[in-house]
Amino acid sequence: MASLDISRNFSKFSFSTGKEVDTANPHGEREYTCSDGKWTAEGGTLDEFTVSDSGDSSGSSSEGAGLTKGGIVSEFGSGFVDGFGGGVDSTVDFFKSLTTEQGWKDLGIGMVDFAMLGCQTCPQGMLMRSQLANNTYSYIQNIPNMTAYQMGYDFGFGSEKALEILATRKLVGSFKTYPRANGFGFDFGSIRFDVHTFRLGGRKTGYNVWRPHIDIPGKVKHWPWHQIDKWKRGV
Amino acid sequence: MNEIKEILGIIEMVLFKREISLNELYFLWPESLSDDEFFENIYDDIESAVEHLSFLPLKELSKSQFRNSVVYRILVIDYKILKSNFNINQLKVARSRIDFHKQVQLSEIDDIITNIIESI
């Protein structure tokens, strides 16, 4: 006996009547028609299947009145897993972007925007907070129209980001800008991951570059560029 | 050694006035010391301090933040060593005995240097 979850993809069907009220397309491939409790697929008759009662067929869920509790949980769980994975993917993409100069520039802009958001007197900060409030309001208004999968996805994505925030709070706290060297970096005291301007090729005759590098105060500076430059110049 | 006086002047500009730019540092540094590793290390410390005079976005450069930084502490040590009345060889020995990464209070630096001087 074939078992088919038909509750997911149509909303007009009433399980209680068992009469033809609508057509459904549960698999996204073929049309099915209900007639006196018997389903007929386009081009043939569908095998016997079971239908579970959803209970409250007049519910307001956007997913459809016939969605079972188990189905909702399953959809939500599926969305959560996908959302969590989406959060991880976005983080991987972020770190990939740090292999490019543009990625570091974007990071700097993002950090400045983040700081702007907290600035109570800046016009830009006010505008950003207003937009954020509008977006939040729109999102909340749309919650009743969201599917369980969408809610699960957003919850999964948000959970992953919340975990990241906890894990990277120290990273954010170590962020510094270096206006005299036109750059920024993450200062952990005994080691720094920086991007700023520095000079290669000698103090008086050299040239300025703007590159990501690692510093260990008192031991290593502008690694690896400074070391490569000295090796090239034989000093 | 006149160069040491010049270096002390540069360090004072960084530590106390905080108004020197990188280009000024490149220009002011006595090039006659370029081949000396001891002075090159001090130059690196000064350059690092100038580069990393930092402030948080939208906030004024914090004097206390700078004074609590590793680069500031290292530069203070360099400054106090150079200001001592050692000859160049003693200066090199004194600096080589400093553990720059040890978390020490600024008030302890004088004692550390005094102990090193007495042991030389």
Side-chain angles (χ1 to χ4, degrees), chain B:
Chain B
M1 225 179 146
N2 283 335
E3 287 91 342
I4 290 181
K5 286 181 183 172
E6 290 179 43
I7 294 170
L8 285 170
I10 292 171
I11 295 176
E12 284 171 3
M13 289 172 75
V14 178
L15 289 179
F16 308 126
K17 296 180 182 174
R18 295 180 291 159
E19 58 188 20
I20 188 171
S21 70
L22 280 170
N23 284 334
E24 285 170 326
L25 174 63
Y26 301 145
F27 178 76
L28 290 173
W29 187 259
E31 208 55 37
S32 56
L33 303 175
S34 291
D35 296 330
D36 193 305
E37 188 183 350
F38 170 76
F39 289 107
E40 278 297 301
N41 287 333
I42 290 177
Y43 169 81
D44 287 345
D45 293 342
I46 298 172
E47 185 187 37
S48 182
V50 175
E51 283 174 347
H52 301 102
L53 280 175
S54 63
F55 58 84
L56 295 170
L58 306 174
K59 285 187 178 176
E60 291 292 319
L61 173 61
S62 162
K63 192 174 181 179
S64 62
Q65 186 190 10
F66 179 51
R67 285 173 66 90
N68 288 328
S69 67
V70 175
V71 288
Y72 182 86
R73 192 174 66 235
I74 290 174
L75 212 50
V76 168
I77 294 170
D78 284 335
Y79 181 76
K80 288 180 180 290
I81 289 174
L82 287 176
K83 257 212 150 180
S84 63
N85 293 319
F86 286 0
N87 63 42
I88 185 65
N89 290 327
Q90 289 171 318
L91 286 177
K92 290 178 181 178
V93 172
R95 194 176 186 281
S96 68
R97 291 187 184 180
I98 297 277
D99 181 2
F100 285 94
H101 288 271
K102 191 177 178 184
Q103 295 291 324
V104 294
Q105 299 295 318
L106 287 173
S107 56
E108 297 174 326
I109 291 175
D110 280 334
D111 289 340
I112 292 171
I113 292 174
T114 302
N115 290 337
I116 290 173
I117 290 169
E118 288 173 352
S119 68
I120 295 175

Side-chain angles (χ1 to χ4, degrees), chain A residues 96-169:
Chain A
K96 278 183 183 172
S97 77
L98 294 184
T99 58
T100 65
E101 193 172 296
Q102 186 60 45
W104 282 91
K105 285 179 181 173
D106 291 344
L107 174 63
I109 292 168
M111 296 300 276
V112 172
D113 281 349
F114 185 71
M116 281 284 186
L117 194 62
C119 177
Q120 296 299 318
T121 54
C122 310
Q124 193 178 342
M126 292 178 196
L127 182 64
M128 288 170 74
R129 282 196 297 280
S130 171
Q131 287 171 340
L132 184 64
N134 281 338
N135 290 342
T136 305
Y137 179 76
S138 299
Y139 182 86
I140 292 171
Q141 289 288 93
N142 190 46
I143 285 177
N145 301 320
M146 290 172 71
T147 64
Y149 179 85
Q150 285 172 329
M151 283 192 271
Y153 188 96
D154 289 357
F155 194 68
F157 194 92
S159 298
E160 197 275 341
K161 292 302 165 199
L163 284 176
E164 278 184 23
I165 287 170
L166 287 175
T168 58
R169 198 163 55 177

Side-chain angles (χ1 to χ4, degrees), chain A:
Chain A
M1 181 172 70
S3 180
L4 182 65
D5 179 12
I6 62 168
S7 61
R8 183 181 305 171
N9 291 292
F10 60 99
S11 58
K12 295 177 184 174
F13 178 69
S14 167
F15 290 106
S16 60
T17 62
K19 294 181 180 178
E20 179 179 349
V21 289
D22 201 358
T23 57
N25 189 7
H27 289 162
E29 294 171 352
R30 304 178 73 179
E31 289 289 326
Y32 298 86
T33 304
C34 179
S35 177
D36 292 331
K38 189 176 183 181
W39 284 88
T40 305
E42 185 184 347
T45 303
L46 193 66
D47 290 339
E48 186 182 356
F49 59 88
T50 58
V51 178
S52 57
D53 190 356
S54 65
D56 180 14
S57 62
S58 62
S60 61
S61 167
S62 64
E63 191 65 54
L67 192 59
T68 64
K69 286 178 183 174
I72 291 173
V73 172
S74 174
E75 286 291 287
F76 185 87
S78 176
F80 183 88
V81 170
D82 287 351
F84 199 91
V88 173
D89 286 346
S90 76
T91 303
V92 171
D93 289 342
F94 165 73
F95 281 108
K96 278 183 183 172
S97 77
L98 294 184
T99 58
T100 65
E101 193 172 296
Q102 186 60 45
W104 282 91
K105 285 179 181 173
D106 291 344
L107 174 63
I109 292 168
M111 296 300 276
V112 172
D113 281 349
F114 185 71
M116 281 284 186
L117 194 62
C119 177
Q120 296 299 318
T121 54
C122 310
Q124 193 178 342
M126 292 178 196
L127 182 64
M128 288 170 74
R129 282 196 297 280
S130 171
Q131 287 171 340
L132 184 64
N134 281 338
N135 290 342
T136 305
Y137 179 76
S138 299
Y139 182 86
I140 292 171
Q141 289 288 93
N142 190 46
I143 285 177
N145 301 320
M146 290 172 71
T147 64
Y149 179 85
Q150 285 172 329
M151 283 192 271
Y153 188 96
D154 289 357
F155 194 68
F157 194 92
S159 298
E160 197 275 341
K161 292 302 165 199
L163 284 176
E164 278 184 23
I165 287 170
L166 287 175
T168 58
R169 198 163 55 177
K170 190 172 177 61
L171 190 71
V172 172
S174 65
F175 178 75
K176 301 277 168 40
T177 55
Y178 310 129
R180 288 176 198 225
N182 303 315
F184 59 91
F186 298 95
D187 187 350
F188 298 100
S190 56
I191 188 169
R192 283 190 302 262
F193 300 91
D194 292 343
V195 191
H196 60 68
T197 301
F198 56 91
R199 180 158 287 203
L200 294 177
R203 279 179 287 271
K204 303 239 181 346
T205 57
Y207 55 95
N208 290 341
V209 294
W210 191 87
R211 291 178 185 169
H213 60 271
I214 292 173
D215 287 335
I216 301 176
K219 287 187 177 176
V220 176
K221 76 168 185 177
H222 307 149
W223 184 89
W225 313 110
H226 193 74
Q227 291 68 28
I228 293 172
D229 177 63
K230 280 186 141 182
W231 174 71
K232 278 183 179 174
R233 291 190 292 131
V235 294

